Amino acid sequence: GNSVTQMEGPVTLSEEAFLTINCTYTATGYPSLFWYVQYPGEGLQLLLKATKADDKGSNKGFEATYRKETTSFHLEKGSVQVSDSAVYFCALSDKTSGTYKYIFGTGTRLKVLA
Amino acid sequence: DAMVIQNPRYQVTQFGKPVTLSCSQTLNHNVMYWYQQKSSQAPKLLFHYYDKDFNNEADTPDNFQSRRPNTSFCFLDIRSPGLGDAAMYLCATSSASMGNQPQHFGDGTRLSIL
């Protein structure tokens, strides 16, 4: 079945460091790919998305490119801030029985130190 | 702003005492989902509604039930909560016909069992 694999955390960085969180997926067909962010005590918020191969999603300085050849959707940010500390989830959409279900990775906790 | 609202944010119940969590949406999405999320884990899908059609995940315990009286509202009923049911419960919505669109999440209800 379809699945999402994320790098394990926690990831601890100093402010202004470069961030990469790896995400790879297994899917039949051409799923849409998403990154969500979850701050403590809150629900998941969409960070960015890509719907087809070579699409680049971007938002708030974060970027991820849909790489079909490597089945990857790695999240990057050039200069992290303390406020980026959160848990990041990679996800894909999978159509089954007429509706879309969303498959999540296990999440990667990011801690940014001042 | 269109959104997904969960009430209450925090719920405390006693072991074995039924509890109901609620979710409402103003997005007019036809699919609503309930997830269980335990600490440092990915959200786990319990079930979802496609309009009035209920879709249960194979591994969702019978202790968990759901109702969707109309498009806007969806409820999660836990008939006899056990200590293992303490978790964050997340409600989400999506448009069934558009898998390239993200889910929209509420802020969750954190359930504690005494």
Side-chain angles (χ1 to χ4, degrees):
Chain A
N2 295 355
S3 66
V4 175
T5 303
Q6 279 183 244
M7 64 184 287
E8 290 197 17
V11 173
T12 303
L13 297 173
S14 298
E15 206 166 25
E16 298 183 5
F18 184 85
L19 168 71
T20 300
I21 300 177
N22 290 337
C23 171
T24 57
Y25 66 92
T26 302
T28 54
Y30 304 95
S32 293
L33 302 173
F34 308 90
W35 276 101
Y36 287 86
V37 58
Q38 186 176 34
Y39 298 101
E42 298 183 10
L44 278 68
Q45 301 174 26
L46 177 69
L47 183 58
L48 53 83
K49 69 173 187 178
T51 59
K52 60 184 187 296
D54 300 325
D55 264 3
K56 178 186 280 188
S58 61
N59 186 27
K60 299 180 182 177
F62 291 89
E63 293 182 341
T65 301
Y66 190 144
R67 300 284 187 204
K68 186 169 180 295
E69 64 276 13
T70 54
T71 62
S72 65
F73 192 55
H74 304 321
L75 182 68
E76 297 182 334
K77 186 176 186 183
S79 176
V80 294
Q81 305 301 311
V82 172
S83 57
D84 294 326
S85 298
V87 180
Y88 292 81
F89 291 95
C90 185
L92 64 81
S93 64
D94 176 24
K95 188 169 186 178
T96 177
S97 302
T99 61
Y100 285 92
K101 290 164 68 171
Y102 297 77
I103 297 170
F104 289 87
T106 53
T108 303
R109 182 174 300 276
L110 170 66
K111 185 174 182 179
V112 180
L113 305 176
Chain B
D1 284 344
M3 56 177 53
V4 180
I5 299 171
Q6 291 187 246
N7 283 306
R9 290 294 309 277
Y10 302 92
Q11 176 74 56
V12 181
T13 192
Q14 292 179 333
F15 182 93
K17 185 175 181 179
V19 65
T20 295
L21 310 182
S22 72
C23 177
S24 65
Q25 57 132 340
T26 60
L27 295 159
N28 205 34
H29 284 164
N30 49 1
V31 189
M32 294 186 77
Y33 308 79
W34 279 105
Y35 290 88
Q36 180 193 66
Q37 187 182 29
K38 296 191 174 180
S39 183
S40 302
Q41 296 182 20
K44 178 181 182 297
L45 182 64
L46 296 173
F47 26 61
H48 72 277
Y49 273 95
Y50 180 179
D51 293 324
K52 285 193 175 293
D53 292 335
F54 178 70
N55 298 271
N56 200 31
E57 293 301 296
D59 58 354
T60 297
D62 293 340
N63 199 25
F64 290 85
Q65 304 286 319
S66 186
R67 297 168 283 138
R68 188 178 186 187
N70 54 52
T71 300
S72 301
F73 286 88
C74 195
F75 300 97
L76 169 62
D77 301 309
I78 308 177
R79 293 192 297 187
S80 181
L83 297 179
D85 296 328
M88 173 79 90
Y89 290 87
L90 297 168
C91 175
T93 72
S94 76
S95 174
S97 60
M98 302 176 73
N100 61 356
Q101 297 302 313
Q103 289 180 302
H104 295 256
F105 284 84
D107 281 338
T109 294
R110 182 165 297 283
L111 179 66
S112 299
I113 314 295
L114 300 180

